[in-house]
Amino acid sequence: MSTVGARLSRQSVTAESSGRRGRIALAAVCAGYALGASVGWGSEQVALFMGDFGLSIAALAAAISCFLYARAGASEFRPAWLLFSLSSLMAACGNAVWGWYEVVLGLPVPSPSLADLFFLCFAPPAIVGLLVLAKRPVTRAGWVCLALDSWLIGGSLLTLSWSLALAHTAHVADVEGGSVAVAALSLAYPLLDIVLVSMVLALHFRRSSINRSAVNTAVAALALTVLCDTVFTSPLLRSTYHSGQLLDAGWFTGSLLLAYAPWGARRSEPETARPGSTATRTTSRPIAGSLAALTPYLAAAVCTLGILYTVVEGRRVDRVVIFTGCTVVLALVVRQGIMLLDNISLTQELAQKENHFRSLVQGSSDVIMIAAPTGILRYVSPAAAGVYGREADDLVGSELASIIHPEDLGRVVHELRRFLAAPPHEEPTTRIECRFRSGTGDWLNVESTVNRHQGGLLLNSRDVTERVRLQAQLQHNAEHDPLTDLPNRALFTDRVRRALAGRRSGDSGTAVLFIDLDGFKAVNDTIGHQAGDELLIQAARRLAESVRAGDTAARLGGDEFAALIVGDGTRDQGAREYQVHEIADRLRLTLSQPYRIGASEVRVAASIGVAFAEPAITPTDLMRNADLAMYRAKAGGKDRVELYAPQMQADVVRRSELAARLRTALRDGEFALLHQPVVHLASGTVAAVAAQARWRSAQGILFTPAEFLRVSDDSDRTAELGRWLLEAAVEQAADRARAGHPVSVSVRLSAGRLLDRALPFGSIEALLTRYGLPSGALMIEVADSDPRISFDDLEQRLVALRRLGVRIALDGFGSGYAAINALRRLPIDVLKLDRGLVEGVVESARLHKITSGLLRIACDLGMQSVADGVDVPEQVLALRAMGCTHGQGMAFSGPLDEYRLRRALVRGEFPVPGSPAAQPVMAGGSIPLLSGSHSETPVPPT
């Protein structure tokens, strides 16, 4: 139980205990008074005091209690309690005057007296107070019925009272010659009591439901007072009455009950409705309604009994009795006429509402069914024919369970039992969703609102099959790739999470495969994106057909796929790795088979990375490991399977750290520019210098381009480095020219960088103009021949550069498949032999012939040639004999800083091994050349 519930429970128990003690105390006081009155209080003086002032004190207590309650409460019934207070005050004053005569003065009370005036004023405030407490009629006919009911009760009681006593009292007063005041006083008491009783009975079934216990107690107190007044008005008792008799106990109890009513009754039963009180009130309403309907007939019966009593006694029927009886009968007839008209109006209204609701039920698109407590359908609306495809008459009499899907029946029965066991005021309705059998035998998704109906169920059902299908489709679309219909990244991640968190969470045999299609971008670029989409669809179909039933194949995006291989509980990790590797290799072969796209046949390869689950690994880490393994497979040559190893993550961390340091070095200016001389092989003179960038780290390590460009995967940083290298090379070349060393400089740029928008066409011309570098003093070396680069765009770019006086060299000649095409289309001035050809030119006769043939091509095209990586004298002799004009390498000099470069330029030449056996094909002068290979490792100290 919550804290608030416990507190309310304790307050309820405390209030009930306090109310019980109050009732016991009230009963004890009243019983004590009755016991004292029955024994005469021991003396005549005490009896007179208790019979007069005791009643006055009790009535005064009632007046004070009702007044305080009226002031404390701000409800609409506050005037009623003020009137009850005034009525009790009148009774207290009357008893006080009575006691003044009998106790203080010792005289009999005169008749009439001031006490009679106070007692006569007791009834009118009480009557008006009862009217305030009653529910007010809302129509004019209601007010008429209330007046007729009051007269029926009052007239009946007047007839009976007149027949029994009042006629005799009036006759005695007339015979004895008493005054009119005495006769009127003798009749006023019973008549006012009759009016009060009539109001009590007429309003008993019309009282408000607010603070019902207090109202009932107040009505009971007034009824007890009126009963004692009626007994007192009988001639036999009044002639022998004296104060202190047992009759005073009734008035005393009535006053204390009225004093107790607003406080004790409210404490004993709080106004807040208790659980279960609704059912109690509902049960009592038919009884109260029946008694209210029988009240006019009971009144007429009482009136008839009064007349019959007069006739049986042999007395002449008094004119008062005849008049009163006739008016009672007339009032009954009028009331019955009003009731008849009301019944006719209610019948018509009920018929209209019934037709209205029948039209609503029959015209509703929802199916309304009523099921008995046994589950038998008692009513089915006509909409069943349109919704279920079954006639309503066919369903009536069948069991509700017979049309519910067997898989849903248990859940539906459980929910209905829970609903019926719950309190109606806490859960008036419930909602269930299940499948119903249609007339065609199909199952429809039906949503039903269930209400209680006479112990059974009332179901309002509608067909939601389309909504369920739409929800399922939306869910499917949210979790699947729209092109291949494979699970997408979100669903695949969820499947991996379930595999790691399920009953096989400790199974290290669970593996994730990341798959990338090598060469897919070339398919898009060559034959179009539509063909690429068709290739992806076929690849997805192959992948889905290749995995096991319990595994998952997914498309993560682009040409990346993934597969989840669920572990089979194998304890041998080596055997499991071999098995998964075999599955991955089979997938690689399947995905590498040719694809039929239209009339053409397309081939792509597959690089696959495999990562196995480890204890406490997260889905994100497992998928990251598979991704790293896949990139290692692509870096290792593609079309292969690579298993994840912890070293891969360490390499990624190292590369990330080095890349971050590289970005910092660019910002802080930690790069240095070195130049390597390009030497004429015949004379040893310096023909040009090749600019090369070096990075001096904070630890004093000088990184070569092959080392720091490998981690510079940030295109923005790479572009920034290229711009710095070009500007620094042009600036230092201009400084050397002004210092008397006019040697050309070569800068190596990739074809992709030349076409990058980050290096606009006017930037090189602006550099040459800004630093005053003459035409021909700068050579751009095209570093690679990427097949994705458009030769048309590259040709336009190089032609524009040549118009600026920039010379063009082709780097890596002899290694790329596009070298011949480049020679055919691009404006090339110098051919630079690939380092791989130079390294084996002395030892390998095959390389010797290939290199010799390439140099012959350069000679035939009228181009100069440069050998990169000439490190030993034997290579110098062999290349010079083949006709190579220039060389660059450690056989002459390594990369030099600006100071050592100028010293070399002052010297003007380097010693050449041996003497030239023959005149070189092309005499060398100073030519603009580009830098050599970017894999140099020996770096001289600077």
Side-chain angles (χ1 to χ4, degrees):
M1 183 181 293
S2 64
T3 305
V4 176
R7 186 177 302 169
L8 291 176
S9 177
R10 289 195 296 269
Q11 291 177 354
S12 177
V13 172
T14 303
E16 185 175 356
S17 176
S18 176
R20 188 182 299 112
R21 289 195 299 269
R23 290 192 293 271
I24 293 174
L26 177 64
V29 172
C30 294
Y33 190 96
L35 181 62
S38 63
V39 298
W41 296 101
S43 69
E44 184 178 356
Q45 287 299 114
V46 176
L48 290 175
F49 181 84
M50 294 302 297
D52 295 333
F53 290 110
L55 294 181
S56 179
I57 294 173
L60 183 61
I64 296 174
S65 175
C66 293
F67 179 76
L68 293 177
Y69 179 70
R71 290 197 60 183
S75 68
E76 57 180 323
F77 303 113
R78 179 178 179 180
W81 293 102
L82 288 175
L83 291 170
F84 289 155
S85 174
L86 179 60
S87 177
S88 299
L89 182 61
M90 293 297 102
C93 292
N95 285 303
V97 172
W98 200 289
W100 176 262
Y101 280 104
E102 288 188 337
V103 178
V104 178
L105 301 179
L107 300 174
V109 180
S111 182
S113 66
L114 185 61
D116 293 321
L117 177 62
F118 284 124
F119 286 139
L120 289 176
C121 291
F122 165 79
I127 294 171
V128 178
L130 289 174
L131 285 173
V132 174
L133 285 178
K135 288 183 178 179
R136 297 174 179 82
V138 295
T139 62
R140 189 175 302 173
W143 284 105
V144 174
C145 289
L146 176 61
L148 291 175
D149 290 343
S150 301
W151 174 244
L152 283 172
I153 297 172
S156 301
L157 293 178
L158 177 60
T159 301
L160 183 61
S161 301
W162 193 272
S163 300
L164 295 177
L166 295 183
H168 177 70
T169 302
H171 178 71
V172 170
D174 184 36
V175 171
E176 293 178 356
S179 65
V180 177
V182 175
L185 185 61
S186 301
L187 296 176
Y189 280 112
L191 290 178
L192 286 175
D193 289 339
I194 289 173
V195 174
L196 188 57
V197 170
S198 301
M199 295 305 302
V200 169
L201 293 177
L203 300 176
H204 174 69
F205 303 108
R206 294 176 178 267
R207 63 188 183 277
S208 174
S209 59
I210 300 178
N211 202 2
R212 187 180 292 269
S213 288
V215 174
N216 287 341
T217 306
V219 171
L222 294 175
L224 181 59
T225 302
V226 171
L227 178 62
C228 294
D229 289 344
T230 304
V231 175
F232 174 74
T233 57
S234 64
L236 295 177
L237 181 62
R238 188 165 186 178
S239 61
T240 60
Y241 171 79
H242 60 84
S243 298
Q245 286 184 342
L246 188 59
L247 182 61
D248 294 341
W251 284 314
F252 184 82
T253 302
S255 296
L256 290 187
L257 273 178
L258 188 58
Y260 171 79
W263 306 102
R266 189 175 65 168
R267 287 195 299 267
S268 62
E269 183 179 348
E271 294 181 9
T272 303
R274 296 178 180 177
S277 61
T278 303
T280 305
R281 289 196 299 270
T282 304
T283 305
S284 64
R285 282 173 186 170
I287 300 176
S290 300
L291 292 177
L294 290 176
T295 301
Y297 302 101
L298 293 176
V302 170
C303 181
T304 304
L305 288 176
I307 297 174
L308 289 177
Y309 176 78
T310 304
V311 174
V312 170
E313 287 292 323
R315 299 198 303 268
R316 183 176 61 87
V317 179
D318 194 272
R319 286 176 297 178
V320 175
V321 174
I322 294 175
F323 176 78
T324 305
C326 292
T327 55
V328 168
V329 173
L330 180 61
L332 181 61
V333 172
V334 174
R335 193 183 190 286
Q336 287 300 109
I338 295 175
M339 289 184 62
L340 180 60
L341 294 177
D342 285 344
N343 288 337
I344 294 174
S345 177
L346 289 175
T347 302
Q348 293 176 350
E349 184 179 356
L350 181 61
Q352 291 178 356
K353 289 184 177 180
E354 184 178 355
N355 293 331
H356 176 69
F357 285 113
R358 182 182 293 110
S359 300
L360 288 178
V361 170
Q362 294 181 352
S364 174
S365 60
D366 294 348
V367 181
I368 299 175
M369 301 183 294
I370 298 177
T374 57
I376 303 298
L377 294 176
R378 297 303 185 193
Y379 173 80
V380 179
S381 66
V387 177
Y388 300 152
R390 304 176 64 178
E391 294 297 331
D393 296 338
D394 297 339
L395 291 174
V396 174
S398 61
E399 291 188 1
L400 180 62
S402 64
I403 62 175
I404 299 178
H405 196 285
E407 296 179 1
D408 300 338
L409 184 58
R411 175 175 54 84
V412 172
V413 171
H414 174 75
E415 173 62 21
L416 292 179
R417 287 177 177 173
R418 184 203 62 78
F419 169 66
L420 292 175
H425 65 278
E426 292 183 1
E427 190 174 4
T429 63
T430 188
R431 181 167 296 183
I432 59 175
E433 187 170 329
C434 60
R435 287 168 287 179
F436 277 11
R437 186 189 300 276
S438 66
T440 60
D442 298 330
W443 293 102
L444 304 175
N445 293 93
V446 176
E447 182 185 64
S448 302
T449 302
V450 184
N451 296 271
R452 298 173 180 84
H453 178 74
Q454 297 179 359
L457 298 171
L458 174 64
L459 297 94
N460 190 348
S461 306
R462 62 195 61 85
D463 183 10
V464 294
T465 303
E466 290 301 323
R467 189 192 72 185
V468 172
R469 290 176 181 172
L470 179 59
Q471 289 177 346
Q473 184 64 39
L474 292 176
Q475 183 70 20
H476 180 85
N477 293 342
E479 295 178 343
H480 289 76
D481 176 58
L483 178 64
T484 63
D485 203 39
L486 288 179
N488 58 15
R489 183 181 294 272
L491 181 57
F492 183 76
T493 304
D494 184 67
R495 296 270 179 91
V496 174
R497 182 181 296 107
R498 292 182 183 180
L500 297 179
R503 58 186 179 88
R504 294 180 177 177
S505 58
D507 188 359
S508 58
T510 299
V512 170
L513 280 62
F514 265 43
I515 306 164
D516 186 83
L517 300 181
D518 302 322
F520 173 74
K521 189 176 186 306
V523 174
N524 272 343
D525 294 340
T526 53
I527 61 178
H529 290 275
Q530 186 174 358
D533 291 344
E534 179 61 28
L535 188 149
L536 291 176
I537 294 173
Q538 295 185 26
R541 188 181 304 116
R542 293 183 187 182
L543 181 61
E545 293 173 353
S546 300
V547 298
R548 302 174 304 179
D551 299 334
T552 300
R555 182 191 178 205
L556 304 183
D559 59 342
E560 291 188 359
F561 294 85
L564 171 64
I565 309 298
V566 182
D568 55 4
T570 304
R571 295 183 178 274
D572 189 350
Q573 184 64 18
R576 179 58 178 168
E577 288 184 3
Y578 177 79
Q579 181 185 8
V580 173
H581 192 283
E582 188 178 31
I583 294 174
D585 199 58
R586 187 171 66 250
L587 287 176
R588 181 186 63 81
L589 294 175
T590 301
L591 295 174
S592 300
Q593 296 297 320
Y595 294 85
R596 175 63 60 179
I597 309 296
S600 60
E601 190 176 83
V602 179
R603 288 179 179 271
V604 294
S607 297
I608 302 178
V610 182
F612 287 91
E614 300 173 357
I617 193 172
T618 63
T620 303
D621 292 341
L622 181 58
M623 295 172 65
R624 180 206 61 198
N625 294 345
D627 196 22
L628 290 176
M630 184 266 290
Y631 277 105
R632 178 59 65 90
K634 292 178 71 67
K638 304 180 180 180
D639 193 17
R640 55 182 293 175
V641 176
E642 190 78 31
L643 296 181
Y644 170 77
Q647 182 60 34
M648 296 180 183
Q649 180 64 22
D651 292 343
V652 170
V653 173
R654 184 184 63 83
R655 288 167 59 87
S656 298
E657 293 176 351
L658 192 55
R661 290 166 55 193
L662 177 61
R663 290 191 292 271
T664 304
L666 280 170
R667 186 180 66 248
D668 297 342
E670 296 179 2
F671 279 91
L673 185 63
L674 303 182
H675 294 84
Q676 188 172 22
V678 178
V679 179
H680 194 286
L681 295 183
S683 62
T685 59
V686 178
V689 291
Q692 298 178 6
R694 293 294 186 271
W695 172 31
R696 189 185 303 277
S697 68
Q699 291 78 16
I701 302 175
L702 201 62
F703 291 100
T704 63
E707 293 172 315
F708 64 76
L709 289 179
R710 189 182 301 117
V711 300
S712 181
D713 53 358
D714 189 337
S715 58
D716 294 336
R717 297 295 177 266
T718 305
E720 185 178 352
L721 178 61
R723 289 193 296 270
W724 173 85
L725 175 63
L726 180 61
E727 182 172 0
V730 172
E731 180 183 6
Q732 292 189 17
D735 290 341
R736 286 192 296 271
R738 285 191 292 269
H741 305 291
V743 60
S744 62
V745 62
S746 63
V747 179
R748 186 174 184 267
L749 295 176
S750 65
R753 186 59 56 197
L754 284 172
L755 296 179
D756 193 352
R757 294 182 178 179
L759 189 66
F761 287 110
S763 61
I764 296 179
E765 182 179 11
L767 286 176
L768 297 177
T769 303
R770 183 192 311 167
Y771 295 105
L773 196 64
S775 177
L778 174 64
M779 176 173 283
I780 298 297
E781 183 179 344
V782 182
D784 54 36
S785 53
D786 191 338
R788 296 173 296 180
I789 298 299
S790 171
F791 266 103
D792 295 335
D793 296 339
L794 183 59
E795 181 180 7
Q796 294 178 6
R797 178 63 166 146
L798 294 180
V799 169
L801 289 176
R802 288 198 68 184
R803 292 197 186 102
L804 299 177
V806 178
R807 307 292 297 279
I808 307 299
L810 181 63
D811 184 35
F813 186 68
S815 63
Y817 70 91
I820 301 301
N821 196 26
L823 285 177
R824 183 176 63 87
R825 299 189 56 182
L826 300 180
I828 304 298
D829 298 308
V830 177
L831 289 180
K832 193 168 188 178
L833 292 179
D834 184 74
R835 186 183 185 89
L837 296 176
V838 177
E839 288 177 349
V841 71
V842 178
E843 294 84 0
S844 173
R846 182 182 293 272
L847 282 180
H848 190 280
K849 292 181 179 180
I850 293 173
T851 305
S852 177
L854 293 176
L855 290 173
R856 192 176 301 111
I857 293 175
C859 179
D860 294 340
L861 293 177
M863 299 179 182
Q864 293 182 345
S865 57
V866 177
D868 185 18
V870 182
D871 296 333
V872 294
E874 292 81 5
Q875 294 173 346
V876 176
L877 296 176
L879 290 170
R880 187 172 56 191
M882 295 178 191
C884 183
T885 59
H886 297 80
Q888 171 186 341
M890 296 303 296
F892 307 106
S893 172
L896 303 175
D897 58 14
E898 186 65 21
Y899 174 74
R900 287 184 171 82
L901 175 61
R902 293 198 179 191
R903 288 181 57 186
L905 293 177
V906 170
R907 190 171 60 248
E909 61 182 19
F910 288 93
V912 178
S915 58
Q919 190 69 20
V921 176
M922 293 193 68
S926 180
I927 59 172
L929 296 173
L930 192 61
S931 67
S933 171
H934 283 261
S935 59
E936 307 91 337
T937 51
V939 179
T942 58

